[in-house]
Amino acid sequence: MALKIVKGSIDRMFDKNLQDLVRGIRNHKEDEAKYISTCIDEIKQELKQDNIAVKANAVCKLTYLQMLGYDVSWAAFNIVEVMSSSKFTYKRIGYLAASQCFHESTDVIMLTTNQIRKDLSSPNQYDTGVALTGLSCFVTPDLARDLANDIMTLMSHTKPYIRKKAVLIMYKVFLKYPESLRPAFPRLKEKLEDPDPGVQSAAVNVICELARRNPKNYLSLAPLFFKLMTSSTNNWVLIKIIKLFGALTPLEPRLGKKLIEPLTNLIHSTSAMSLLYECVNTVIAVLISLSSGMPNHSASIQLCVQKLRILIEDSDQNLKYLGLLAMSKILKTHPKSVQSHKDLILQCLDDKDESIRLRALDLLYGMVSKKNLMEIVKKLMLHVDKAEGTTYRDELLTKIIDICSQSNYQYITNFEWYISILVELTRLEGTRHGHLIASQMLDVAIRVKAIRAFAVAQMATLLDNAHLLTGNMQRNGICEVLYAAAWICGEFSEHLENPIQTLEAMLRPKVATLPGHIQAVYVQNAAKLFATVLKGQEGNTDSTAAQETSQLMIDRLPLFVQSANLEVQERASCILQLVKYIQKLQQKDVEVAEEVSALFAGELNPVAPKAQKKVPVPEGLDLDAWINEPPSESESEDEQPKAIFAKEEPKHSRPRHTEVDEKELARRREARKQEQANNPFYIKASPSSQKVYQDTPGVEHIPVVQIDLSVPLKVPGMPMSDQYVKLEEERRQKERAEKKKKEKKKRKEKRSGRGKKQDSGPESEEDITPAHMVDIVTEEMPENALPSDDDDKDPNDPHKALDIDLDKPLADSEKLPVRSHRAAESLKSPAEDGDVESAAIHAPKKKNGKEKREKKKDKDSDRKKSKEEKKKKKHKHEEKEEDLLGGQAEEPAVQSEETNEVAAPPTSTSVSDLDFWLSNAPVPSNTQEAPTVAAAEAAPVPKVASGTAPNSEPDEPKDTEMEETKSSKHKKKKQKKEKEEKEKKKKKKHHHHHHHSDGGGEESVQNGTVEDEEPLPPMSNYCLLAENSYIKMVCDIQGNLQDGSQVVVSVIFENKCDSFLKSMEFNVLDSLNSKLQRPEGSGPHDGLTVPFQLPPGVSNEARFVFTVQSIVMPQKLKGTLTFIVKNEDSSTHEKLDFKLHFTCTSYLITTPCYSDAFAKLLESGDLKGSSVRLEGVNMPFHHLLARICFHHHFSVVERIDSCASMYSRSIQGHHVCLLVKTSGQTVSIDAKCDEPTLLGNVLDEIKQTFSQC
Amino acid sequence: MIKAILIFNNHGKPRLIRFYQYFAEDMQQQIIRETFHLVSKRDDNVCNFLEGGSLIGGSDYKLIYRHYATLYFVFCVDSSESELGILDLIQVFVETLDKCFENVCELDLIFHMDKVHYILQEVVMGGMVLETNMNEIVAQVEVQNRMEKSEVSVQCQPVAELISG
């Protein structure tokens, strides 16, 4: 009984869970909507309760209903409530619901900022993970701005699980808040070399997404990616990188050359089809970018085509599809290699799979030649008949037209055939492409003069049978062709056999049902036809026929005068009045035909669409000059005429160019000019442009039309394109026979009127002469115009905002906003994000190429310098270049290691100068400001100096020299040259290089050549705190830049035993100077509860904040960890003592420093000096620097050979400057700081670090 | 980028939908219908790629799908994703489901849509591939399930006491 009651209460508590809901819906198939609406009412009740479990359950059900299409946005606030539950279970439900139904305009999103921030910094990694996942779906610009810094911090989280999520979500943050890209980029780049493959893959993923949209900004990463490509074994990562390279190569052809070899190797070696496919794709991209000049270029193409053929022949439809897809890319640049596989592609046209057929269609475009065009189109026409879906059929139709009309009808040998094809296509029902067919008809009829008679006949038939086309107005797409038909019949009416019949057809009452624009053309062309008819009839003695025609017009036109369409109405009224007048004249027996046809005299030439824009300004016409003097200055701000005349190269894409002798040419040109002069529609070219005209196969070169009479000009009835195929074959055979005969004669004596073609079809095609040596009139186009550079980029593309120069140093204003009250999680100060700055320091030695590159942007100031540099460096330089030109595959890897001076593993490579990496030729600007410091920070977690003991050993300060060096390098541009010369005298062996970024004009200094530097040994950033048989504690101490009196200690607890560890309490005995921050209300000796329990073998991290007063002295704090070890049967109380050591270096924060700021600092004289000498240091200089950076939180300001200046800052704002020099095994460190005690202690700690190794 | 992940059965009933770009609910349903229409009329022996539907994406987008017994798994992706790679990913996802549900069938997806979402969250995040290693995915899912269980057991304790009392 009691049980029942309890059960009932539980039922009430969870009225229905998700499963019940689903079951219910399935049981109410008939009245599903009704059932769901009652469910929603229940859910509304549940949401009103205070119990979070009930709410979460309700929200979970809502998520399901959302999937079914119900709008659940009304519950947005409840979802936020569930998200903020402290229980993971509910939080997860809340975030899932939010990710499914929140979007940018959900207003409650702004309430979530703090909750999400709290979750992001939760000690439980899964809380963080759930928040990241949710946020990735509904991040808004506001959230992105407010949380960018928190997420960036998470990119260095100890757990790879969080790191990879944080890295991925950064992409979304960038999209919503583009300002965050530059500050976050250095760290993102570090993650490319994260020890965890998942994180690495995430970083590659994000950078690839970014680079896909704005590839040029990521060129400088190419060496790093190259290294990853040659070292990674993860196919996912490889695919992404290879895809990225595909996007980069068009920008940098030299990159392509480097890629070919490793890619070819991959193609040969990989068994993964996906990887193979992407390699082939990228090789294709490379080959496209290297338009020429690759010796074994054709071998690569062959390899690609071969592999693709294997894919296409595969039984797996997916591979077949992709093979065709890639093939079409090759087609663009290397059509011949693809043409040899025509058989295969034609075979694919018959595939049962529409996707594959469509791909094969794309390929056909490039397969056609004069020889096979008819055959291919015939095949396509068969498919058109068979095709069921209109989409596929329309696709076929456009393809047929595309194929035939490509390159100015290059492959059409018989235009009668083409017209018949077009007419056949008009019989397609329900196509949307009527206008396409129409424009083809117009184009051919206008531009191919020889075909007009035939075209007009066909069009007349079409007009006669117009009722067939317009039968159903629903699918009136095709009636567009009537527009063309009417125009052609009217314009070229002299070719009509029976103009009266056509005129009648055009004036049928049914015409009034056509769309207005077509009617207008009908009316206008009826008038043209009328003129022609009159002309024919007036010759006769009987004038009644002519009068009858006028009467016909007068009878029929009123129908159009009543049209609702203005255009039709206007034209009809005009013409009606005109005809009435003519009729009057006719009745007086006046001859009117001449005058009427004069109305329509003159030929209409095709004019290129952009011709108007490109009319050149005639000589002597100065559009800027005032016709009348301007009244005042202020009115003179009219638009410059230049803007109007966007220039474009004249379209002289005439393929059919005939060899004609000079005389003939001259004669024709003269005739043409004459004709042009008399033609009022012709836009005359200015004399200066005539030259250009002659160089290209221009309009003047068009041979006189000759019609091959071997083909009958008229085919009775509706044309059948098939007839032509047959005829064409016969013709060709005949021709071949003729040719054989003629070959015996001399070649030169070939038919003069019919020149041989000069175009570049396959060799075999030379044999095929077109049936009509046709005059394809080029579209008229004035010359002297620039190609109008229309940028088609979508202004709404969110990626446009991400087109940011990543190499420019960060300005203060760009730093990410940080919440100042957050203490514990702000491991990274925003200032650190400025890393990029120091980057330039690191930019490698290859100056010359770089200089050249810069010239583009900053010619004047750089030219002199670079010359100088050249001289200086000539020797070394040339050697290097030669090596690089060799371009071995290993080169880049070696190179990046070489330049990697101060980097800490595992992120060991800071990218070398792209230029240097690639070769010696000039390349785009300012590639590398790879942040040295960033690299030094690279380790995924904050670093701390391992326990060091003070041990001072003062030395003589060498400030003067240090200052000298600095200042000489860090002056502003103007002084650069001068300084450089000074330097040159001083230390000839040092190669300084001044390099300034294009962005801020800021100056940074590169270091000199570094010889064979090895990769760094791994360094750990956590040091052991204490350990016993149950538990191990390692810790990392980090200053907090936001609060000068706080130090954050991150402790990783690792359960070493087989038992469950719980109730862990962390306590530290406070000293006067340092205190553990405890929650309000707790006593000064209370311990802090560690916010998690540890199952066997699990480790987790907790952070503790300490307040410190003075930071000039190192301190030690005693502490205890107490915990309960719980076994299955027993539990014991254990404790572990530890000593927490706050070294002085833990108060230092890696802060990048501009070199000029650094020089200023030293010059200020506020700093006290000190120095230390280390003996017997047996490690490469860059390792030494890396260690100092890593363990002591310094950043390298500048480095010259075996000398480097470094900088750091304490949490309380003390500046610490170092000059580190090495000779042999002795390292001397001269240091300056505004706090001598702190400096002394830091130096001691550095000494300690090196004495340990 | 992955734009959307849709799972529906042979009758077009959605079993899981996950859009990485916002669409209103009715639009989502239209997209599902259109996608189902496109995918369902294809034979099983044709290729698994489909030029994107008109509603979602555009020319840059492709539908990549796999058909398992009664379910279609459809990913709508843009050109930055490798086609074959996504096919593999679908396989990984399905195998992961199989592991997590032990012989997964449509009913599992019907009744545990939330769990399927949680698994998917470990594979794809915000439209980008998060993890492709099945063991890693399964491990993360299991840890979270354990966390959930421990929380639920704590919560149910008083009830359990009530029952036993």
Side-chain angles (χ1 to χ4, degrees):
Chain A
M1 202 54 173
L3 195 82
K4 235 182 191 173
I5 296 164
V6 171
K7 226 180 163 190
S9 76
I10 296 171
D11 273 350
R12 234 170 295 133
M13 207 162 81
F14 294 98
D15 264 330
K16 252 180 220 134
N17 63 15
L18 176 61
Q19 282 76 31
D20 297 328
L21 175 76
V22 175
R23 209 166 289 130
I25 293 175
R26 287 163 70 81
N27 290 338
H28 291 77
K29 285 225 166 86
E30 297 80 36
D31 52 348
E32 193 181 288
K34 197 175 147 211
Y35 178 77
I36 289 177
S37 80
T38 60
C39 288
I40 289 180
D41 288 342
E42 281 168 25
I43 289 169
K44 280 183 176 158
Q45 287 306 315
E46 287 167 26
L47 287 175
K48 281 185 191 142
Q49 294 189 34
D50 284 335
N51 189 331
I52 192 73
V54 177
K55 269 187 188 164
N57 181 51
V59 165
C60 186
K61 288 191 279 182
L62 283 178
T63 314
Y64 183 82
L65 294 178
Q66 196 272 344
M67 177 178 79
L68 299 183
Y70 289 84
D71 178 18
V72 299
S73 57
W74 50 269
F77 185 75
N78 303 105
I79 293 174
V80 174
E81 282 181 303
V82 175
M83 275 161 72
S84 52
S85 157
S86 57
K87 285 235 163 47
F88 172 75
T89 316
Y90 304 143
K91 195 184 284 299
R92 183 152 80 153
I93 291 171
Y95 272 103
L96 174 63
S99 70
Q100 287 292 78
C101 64
F102 281 13
H103 51 95
E104 267 188 30
S105 47
T106 307
D107 44 6
V108 292
I109 280 196
M110 59 192 183
L111 304 177
T112 60
T113 317
N114 279 315
Q115 178 57 41
I116 296 173
R117 176 175 288 132
K118 209 176 119 204
D119 290 334
L120 289 183
S121 56
S122 158
N124 181 339
Q125 60 163 324
Y126 292 104
D127 282 351
T128 314
V130 157
L132 283 173
T133 308
L135 186 61
S136 73
C137 293
F138 58 77
V139 61
T140 63
D142 284 345
L143 280 179
R145 189 191 58 233
D146 294 340
L147 298 172
N149 199 57
D150 304 67
I151 298 170
M152 224 167 93
T153 312
L154 290 178
M155 281 165 73
S156 307
H157 198 271
T158 47
K159 293 280 192 287
Y161 178 73
I162 297 303
R163 285 209 300 279
K164 72 183 175 193
K165 288 196 168 195
V167 167
L168 273 190
I169 201 178
M170 278 319 276
Y171 178 64
K172 295 280 176 161
V173 173
F174 296 152
L175 281 182
K176 300 287 177 188
Y177 180 55
E179 289 88 338
S180 60
L181 175 58
R182 296 210 332 109
F185 192 68
R187 192 167 305 178
L188 183 60
K189 212 163 92 178
E190 282 170 40
K191 296 296 145 205
L192 284 177
E193 297 186 280
D194 196 277
D196 183 87
V199 181
Q200 200 183 32
S201 146
V204 169
N205 214 332
V206 170
I207 292 187
C208 288
E209 274 304 327
L210 290 169
R212 199 164 74 93
R213 309 295 181 146
N214 302 299
K216 64 176 190 309
N217 300 337
Y218 300 87
L219 258 182
S220 57
L221 291 181
L224 184 57
F225 276 116
F226 192 90
K227 195 182 147 219
L228 282 178
M229 183 178 84
T230 42
S231 58
S232 179
T233 50
N234 180 342
N235 279 353
W236 267 94
V237 171
L238 280 175
I239 287 174
K240 282 276 170 194
I241 294 176
I242 287 166
K243 265 182 168 287
L244 174 66
F245 275 132
L248 290 182
T249 42
L251 302 171
E252 181 50 89
R254 289 173 303 157
L255 177 62
K257 284 185 194 168
K258 265 202 140 56
L259 286 173
I260 285 276
E261 197 188 317
L263 285 179
T264 328
N265 291 343
L266 265 178
I267 290 176
H268 282 300
S269 63
T270 186
S271 59
M273 275 301 181
S274 48
L275 184 58
L276 172 93
Y277 173 69
E278 295 304 338
C279 286
V280 169
N281 251 335
T282 298
V283 170
I284 294 168
V286 167
L287 293 174
I288 290 170
S289 75
L290 301 170
S291 45
S292 62
M294 263 286 283
N296 45 1
H297 182 117
S298 57
S300 308
I301 293 198
Q302 277 317 312
L303 177 68
C304 288
V305 175
Q306 225 174 46
K307 288 281 172 185
L308 289 180
R309 184 167 179 119
I310 293 173
L311 290 186
I312 296 173
E313 280 172 338
D314 200 289
S315 59
D316 184 344
Q317 295 282 327
N318 293 329
L319 298 181
K320 190 177 286 231
Y321 173 88
L322 294 175
L324 290 168
L325 199 63
M327 205 62 125
S328 66
K329 288 181 192 155
I330 302 187
L331 189 68
K332 284 178 198 128
T333 46
H334 302 90
K336 279 191 192 162
S337 339
V338 183
Q339 268 159 10
S340 50
H341 301 283
K342 200 185 96 198
D343 54 319
L344 193 63
I345 286 150
L346 283 177
Q347 216 174 299
C348 291
L349 266 190
D350 297 322
D351 201 283
K352 57 191 175 302
D353 188 346
E354 186 177 303
S355 303
I356 286 176
R357 288 201 306 261
L358 283 174
R359 291 279 76 82
L361 266 184
D362 283 346
L363 274 171
L364 272 187
Y365 183 83
M367 307 252 77
V368 291
S369 63
K370 290 201 170 93
K371 222 177 178 177
N372 62 16
L373 177 72
M374 285 185 170
E375 172 201 342
I376 288 180
V377 170
K378 187 180 162 190
K379 198 155 184 177
L380 291 181
M381 291 299 281
L382 282 180
H383 281 281
V384 170
D385 290 340
K386 275 192 289 180
E388 297 127 26
T390 43
T391 1
Y392 178 59
R393 208 179 50 187
D394 280 1
E395 190 65 31
L396 275 167
L397 189 152
T398 38
K399 270 284 128 53
I400 291 175
I401 290 180
D402 272 357
I403 289 174
C404 293
S405 64
Q406 67 174 310
S407 346
N408 222 358
Y409 310 104
Q410 184 183 349
Y411 301 115
I412 295 187
T413 50
N414 187 334
F415 276 92
E416 287 180 13
W417 164 81
Y418 185 45
I419 295 271
S420 335
I421 289 283
L422 288 176
V423 171
E424 269 177 53
L425 285 176
T426 62
R427 291 181 213 145
L428 283 188
E429 279 185 17
T431 177
R432 288 180 291 117
H433 292 297
H435 60 278
L436 197 64
I437 303 174
S439 69
Q440 279 295 298
M441 286 174 169
L442 285 171
D443 201 42
V444 172
I446 295 169
R447 294 173 61 190
V448 186
K449 284 185 181 153
I451 203 67
R452 281 180 193 164
F454 179 78
V456 165
Q458 292 302 322
M459 294 304 123
T461 331
L462 259 187
L463 285 178
D464 247 357
N465 300 321
H467 57 279
L468 295 177
L469 299 179
T470 53
N472 186 353
M473 289 303 279
Q474 288 307 101
R475 31 161 232 254
N476 61 358
I478 204 67
C479 69
E480 288 291 324
V481 297
L482 292 177
Y483 175 100
W487 191 88
I488 293 171
C489 286
E491 182 67 19
F492 307 119
S493 49
E494 67 270 18
H495 299 291
L496 273 177
E497 284 267 296
N498 191 353
I500 298 183
Q501 190 191 340
T502 311
L503 182 63
E504 251 176 87
M506 280 168 78
L507 292 171
R508 273 182 209 146
K510 191 113 200 253
V511 172
T513 58
L514 289 173
H517 67 283
I518 299 178
Q519 283 185 56
V521 170
Y522 264 68
V523 171
Q524 183 75 12
N525 286 286
K528 290 186 199 169
L529 263 179
F530 175 61
T532 322
V533 173
L534 278 190
K535 216 176 165 184
Q537 288 169 338
E538 271 187 4
N540 302 344
T541 45
D542 182 17
S543 66
T544 50
Q547 283 186 12
E548 266 168 31
T549 319
S550 304
Q551 194 53 48
L552 174 75
M553 292 287 280
I554 291 169
D555 289 346
R556 299 283 175 86
L557 278 173
L559 178 68
F560 298 101
V561 176
Q562 293 158 11
S563 168
N565 188 299
L566 267 188
E567 178 87 11
V568 181
Q569 201 185 68
E570 191 184 13
R571 285 177 193 237
S573 327
C574 255
I575 291 165
L576 182 61
Q577 292 313 311
L578 186 74
V579 178
K580 279 181 178 166
Y581 181 66
I582 292 169
Q583 200 184 27
K584 262 187 211 162
L585 292 177
Q586 280 175 332
Q587 281 158 2
K588 291 175 194 162
D589 274 339
V590 183
E591 298 245 320
V592 285
E594 267 320 299
E595 282 160 65
V596 175
S597 43
L599 284 172
F600 306 107
E603 193 170 320
L604 293 177
N605 289 315
V607 177
K610 286 177 187 164
Q612 182 64 52
K613 261 209 263 179
K614 294 186 277 174
V615 178
V617 184
E619 216 171 282
L621 172 62
D622 182 2
L623 288 173
D624 291 337
W626 289 99
I627 300 171
N628 299 308
E629 278 310 302
S632 73
E633 281 275 288
S634 61
E635 284 175 34
S636 65
E637 283 167 12
D638 288 45
E639 213 185 305
Q640 294 285 306
K642 268 192 180 171
I644 303 167
F645 299 110
K647 290 194 190 167
E648 190 167 307
E649 288 296 326
K651 266 196 205 161
H652 289 310
S653 47
R654 289 209 355 93
R656 217 173 285 259
H657 170 56
T658 350
E659 271 181 21
V660 203
D661 60 25
E662 276 304 309
K663 246 190 200 170
E664 171 75 2
L665 263 179
R667 190 188 61 74
R668 262 186 240 159
R669 204 172 296 140
E670 207 44 53
R672 173 100 192 165
K673 264 185 205 158
Q674 199 64 39
E675 191 196 41
Q676 286 170 0
N678 297 333
N679 186 346
F681 299 102
Y682 189 77
I683 302 155
K684 279 138 196 119
S686 59
S688 61
S689 62
Q690 199 60 32
K691 226 177 184 174
V692 188
Y693 222 74
Q694 284 168 2
D695 291 340
T696 46
V699 186
E700 296 95 322
H701 301 245
I702 296 164
V704 170
V705 178
Q706 279 209 354
I707 297 170
D708 190 330
L709 291 174
S710 62
V711 177
L713 274 181
K714 212 187 86 193
V715 181
M718 285 289 240
M720 281 304 295
S721 54
D722 287 358
Q723 296 171 316
Y724 289 95
V725 182
K726 217 176 160 192
L727 282 171
E728 180 71 12
E729 248 155 49
E730 284 168 12
R731 189 181 69 84
R732 280 182 196 171
Q733 258 173 14
K734 213 167 108 190
E735 224 160 64
R736 239 170 277 145
E738 250 174 72
K739 210 167 190 180
K740 260 181 200 167
K741 277 185 216 162
K742 286 200 175 175
E743 243 151 48
K744 289 167 191 167
K745 299 178 185 175
K746 276 196 175 176
R747 247 211 136 99
K748 275 180 192 170
E749 286 175 18
K750 262 188 169 176
R751 291 161 294 178
S752 59
R754 220 191 242 206
K756 54 177 181 184
K757 299 160 276 94
Q758 44 75 251
D759 54 46
S760 56
E763 300 88 331
S764 59
E765 297 202 353
E766 296 282 341
D767 302 339
I768 307 164
T769 19
H772 312 156
M773 192 56 231
V774 211
D775 170 8
I776 303 176
V777 183
T778 358
E779 291 172 325
E780 283 184 2
M781 186 76 88
E783 305 90 27
N784 274 359
L786 266 185
S788 42
D789 208 20
D790 294 335
D791 201 356
D792 298 331
K793 270 196 177 173
D794 177 12
N796 298 324
D797 186 359
H799 298 277
K800 222 179 173 186
L802 287 180
D803 188 0
I804 298 169
D805 183 0
L806 294 165
D807 298 330
K808 222 162 60 182
L810 274 183
D812 279 356
S813 56
E814 283 186 283
K815 283 158 193 167
L816 290 178
V818 193
R819 288 289 174 102
S820 46
H821 66 263
R822 285 181 317 112
E825 64 266 61
S826 52
L827 292 171
K828 292 274 183 178
S829 73
E832 279 174 284
D833 307 332
D835 294 347
V836 200
E837 251 122 52
S838 51
I841 305 161
H842 187 196
K845 49 250 161 158
K846 180 70 179 205
K847 297 150 194 195
N848 202 23
K850 199 165 204 166
E851 286 294 334
K852 275 186 201 162
R853 197 117 73 62
E854 270 176 25
K855 267 197 256 171
K856 280 177 202 160
K857 283 184 182 164
D858 211 332
K859 266 185 185 167
D860 299 322
S861 56
D862 271 327
R863 192 179 294 141
K864 285 181 186 170
K865 215 179 1 132
S866 88
K867 271 184 194 162
E868 238 181 70
E869 223 111 38
K870 234 178 190 166
K871 274 182 213 160
K872 251 205 272 178
K873 289 216 62 185
K874 213 170 180 177
H875 265 313
K876 215 159 209 170
H877 211 85
E878 280 169 356
E879 276 174 27
K880 281 266 146 124
E881 275 175 14
E882 263 167 48
D883 283 350
L884 285 162
L885 281 171
Q888 288 93 359
E890 316 97 52
E891 192 72 353
V894 174
Q895 185 46 44
S896 41
E897 274 165 19
E898 271 185 348
T899 37
N900 156 32
E901 291 132 62
V902 210
T907 341
S908 63
T909 342
S910 74
V911 192
S912 65
D913 188 353
L914 179 71
D915 234 359
F916 185 42
W917 182 70
L918 284 169
S919 79
N920 59 337
V923 223
S925 82
N926 198 16
T927 21
Q928 209 36 304
E929 308 199 23
T932 340
V933 184
E937 286 179 349
V941 255
K943 51 250 123 201
V944 72
S946 39
T948 50
N951 182 7
S952 103
E953 191 183 288
D955 206 341
E956 245 186 4
K958 294 180 177 175
D959 297 337
T960 36
E961 194 192 333
M962 183 165 165
E963 270 182 37
E964 181 67 58
T965 327
K966 300 308 152 215
S967 60
S968 73
K969 281 176 229 150
H970 307 308
K971 291 297 166 175
K972 292 284 174 211
K973 268 190 210 168
K974 297 169 199 164
Q975 300 171 356
K976 235 194 276 177
K977 204 178 124 191
E978 187 192 331
K979 288 286 170 189
E980 203 171 67
E981 275 164 3
K982 209 162 141 194
E983 244 174 21
K984 204 165 135 193
K985 282 175 206 159
K986 265 189 115 179
K987 8 177 171 176
K988 275 184 180 161
K989 58 175 181 175
H990 292 162
H991 310 289
H992 298 283
H993 174 55
H994 292 245
H995 169 86
H996 60 89
S997 59
D998 44 336
E1002 232 112 24
E1003 201 184 311
S1004 47
V1005 179
Q1006 285 180 299
N1007 36 347
T1009 322
V1010 188
E1011 293 89 27
D1012 51 303
E1013 286 176 350
E1014 307 136 32
L1016 291 164
M1019 289 184 260
S1020 148
N1021 36 3
Y1022 276 70
C1023 61
L1024 182 67
L1025 193 58
E1027 184 174 14
N1028 65 11
S1029 54
Y1030 298 107
I1031 192 165
K1032 182 180 174 183
M1033 297 159 72
V1034 289
C1035 78
D1036 168 34
I1037 306 169
Q1038 183 88 8
N1040 180 358
L1041 194 71
Q1042 260 79 48
D1043 189 336
S1045 59
Q1046 279 191 352
V1047 173
V1048 182
V1049 180
S1050 317
V1051 186
I1052 298 178
F1053 300 90
E1054 186 187 344
N1055 187 348
K1056 292 171 64 188
C1057 60
D1058 300 330
S1059 321
F1060 204 81
L1061 299 186
K1062 55 187 243 183
S1063 307
M1064 288 188 281
E1065 227 170 67
F1066 181 90
N1067 201 2
V1068 170
L1069 211 55
D1070 292 348
S1071 74
L1072 272 179
N1073 192 29
S1074 317
K1075 290 184 172 62
L1076 176 62
Q1077 271 197 354
R1078 297 176 168 89
E1080 266 177 54
S1082 51
H1085 304 296
D1086 293 349
L1088 278 184
T1089 316
V1090 178
F1092 47 79
Q1093 302 176 338
L1094 289 178
V1098 169
S1099 63
N1100 204 342
E1101 184 180 26
R1103 290 181 188 152
F1104 304 95
V1105 180
F1106 287 80
T1107 343
V1108 287
Q1109 265 154 23
S1110 162
I1111 60 158
V1112 298
M1113 297 284 280
Q1115 346 222 339
K1116 277 185 185 162
L1117 292 179
K1118 277 188 184 168
T1120 319
L1121 180 79
T1122 56
F1123 51 92
I1124 294 172
V1125 182
K1126 197 178 175 197
N1127 287 325
E1128 272 173 22
D1129 33 29
S1130 67
S1131 62
T1132 52
H1133 210 99
E1134 296 288 341
K1135 74 171 199 167
L1136 175 62
D1137 290 331
F1138 57 86
K1139 260 187 192 169
L1140 203 52
H1141 189 124
F1142 290 161
T1143 57
C1144 278
T1145 42
S1146 44
Y1147 304 130
L1148 296 183
I1149 290 193
T1150 318
T1151 317
C1153 183
Y1154 286 103
S1155 44
D1156 48 355
F1158 188 79
K1160 229 172 256 168
L1161 193 64
L1162 289 171
E1163 279 163 3
S1164 68
D1166 299 337
L1167 309 184
K1168 319 254 171 343
S1170 172
S1171 63
V1172 69
R1173 184 178 290 275
L1174 312 170
E1175 299 288 352
V1177 178
N1178 196 9
M1179 64 170 80
F1181 189 54
H1182 72 286
H1183 286 195
L1184 179 99
L1185 291 183
R1187 268 178 195 275
I1188 297 177
C1189 284
F1190 188 72
H1191 291 300
H1192 299 281
H1193 309 179
F1194 277 87
S1195 63
V1196 177
V1197 179
E1198 170 188 38
R1199 178 184 168 197
I1200 310 127
D1201 284 359
S1202 56
C1203 184
S1205 50
M1206 308 179 87
Y1207 175 79
S1208 186
R1209 220 169 93 107
S1210 77
I1211 51 172
Q1212 293 181 359
H1214 305 290
H1215 303 284
V1216 188
C1217 308
L1218 300 184
L1219 177 66
V1220 186
K1221 283 185 278 186
T1222 179
S1223 58
Q1225 297 204 337
T1226 312
V1227 177
S1228 68
I1229 301 175
D1230 300 308
K1232 281 196 161 191
C1233 176
D1234 39 12
E1235 175 51 67
T1237 327
L1238 175 71
L1239 180 62
N1241 287 320
V1242 169
L1243 287 181
D1244 289 345
E1245 285 161 16
I1246 293 177
K1247 202 167 173 178
Q1248 182 70 25
T1249 309
F1250 287 101
S1251 67
Q1252 282 170 350
C1253 58
Chain B
M1 283 277 283
I2 299 168
K3 204 167 189 178
I5 294 171
L6 309 174
I7 305 176
F8 43 73
N9 70 1
N10 288 346
H11 305 289
K13 282 235 185 262
R15 293 306 175 209
L16 176 134
I17 56 172
R18 169 79 279 190
F19 286 88
Y20 294 104
Q21 179 192 347
Y22 174 70
F23 289 102
E25 275 77 12
D26 49 348
M27 191 63 188
Q28 293 186 353
Q29 295 300 313
Q30 265 190 40
I31 291 173
I32 297 170
R33 276 195 295 275
E34 191 198 53
T35 314
F36 170 69
H37 182 73
L38 284 172
V39 166
S40 60
K41 67 178 183 203
R42 293 173 66 84
D43 288 343
D44 271 351
N45 54 0
V46 302
C47 77
N48 299 90
F49 315 119
L50 203 55
E51 249 85 317
S54 55
L55 297 175
I56 192 165
S59 60
D60 195 35
Y61 285 86
K62 270 202 188 81
L63 298 176
I64 298 175
Y65 72 97
R66 268 179 189 275
H67 188 197
Y68 294 93
T70 59
L71 290 175
Y72 284 99
F73 288 72
V74 187
F75 281 45
C76 174
V77 303
D78 70 10
S79 62
S80 72
E81 301 293 343
S82 149
E83 291 87 348
L84 295 173
I86 293 291
L87 274 184
D88 288 348
L89 185 72
I90 299 177
Q91 185 66 29
V92 167
F93 178 46
V94 173
E95 280 177 31
T96 311
L97 288 178
D98 200 49
K99 257 198 180 168
C100 293
F101 285 109
E102 283 158 19
N103 284 329
V104 69
C105 69
E106 192 185 341
L107 281 177
D108 291 316
L109 272 79
I110 294 172
F111 285 103
H112 302 281
M113 181 204 71
D114 50 343
K115 300 214 165 49
V116 182
H117 265 295
Y118 299 143
I119 295 167
L120 182 62
Q121 282 177 357
E122 298 302 327
V123 185
V124 178
M125 183 177 133
M128 281 179 290
V129 179
L130 180 68
E131 184 59 68
T132 52
N133 179 342
M134 190 171 36
N135 295 332
E136 171 72 16
I137 299 168
V138 173
Q140 297 295 357
V141 169
E142 273 172 1
V143 174
Q144 293 179 60
N145 287 345
R146 247 181 277 140
M147 276 177 65
E148 189 174 306
K149 251 180 217 151
S150 72
E151 279 181 358
V152 169
S153 68
V154 168
Q155 191 201 19
C156 288
Q157 231 160 15
V159 179
E161 276 161 21
L162 238 168
I163 293 168
S164 60

